[in-house]
Amino acid sequence: MLDAQKNQIALAVNNAKTMSSRQIAVVVNSRHDSVKRTIERLAESGVISFTPMVETSHEGAGSRPVEVYAVNERDSYVVVAQLSPEFTANLVDYW
């Protein structure tokens, strides 16, 4: 993974180190909407904590606001393992 991408992964939300759902999508090479659905499903079943939505800018053509979830370290492992077990090592390396 590129260092620039690694540097963008962490967000500071309420002084807690978190990772955005958009950056999880980068780590697992998945669509952001798929990541958000996985987070919602895991939260509804009580496996992870439901995280607040944060509005951020979208990089690229036609930049527009994008809503992302802020995910703590523990929950990021659960989400990545659910989405793509082969990318769990990337997450371990990040943290």
Side-chain angles (χ1 to χ4, degrees), residues 10-28:
L11 290 177
V13 175
N14 298 327
N15 294 324
K17 192 167 187 177
T18 62
M19 188 174 196
S20 76
S21 53
R22 193 167 81 183
Q23 294 304 341
I24 290 174
V26 170
V27 169
V28 299

Side-chain angles (χ1 to χ4, degrees), residues 10-51:
L11 290 177
V13 175
N14 298 327
N15 294 324
K17 192 167 187 177
T18 62
M19 188 174 196
S20 76
S21 53
R22 193 167 81 183
Q23 294 304 341
I24 290 174
V26 170
V27 169
V28 299
N29 194 28
S30 184
R31 290 176 44 111
H32 184 229
D33 60 333
S34 296
V35 173
K36 288 183 6 179
R37 277 193 306 275
T38 297
I39 290 170
E40 291 163 358
R41 183 175 40 78
L42 290 169
E44 287 171 8
S45 65
V47 176
I48 64 172
S49 306
F50 196 78
T51 57

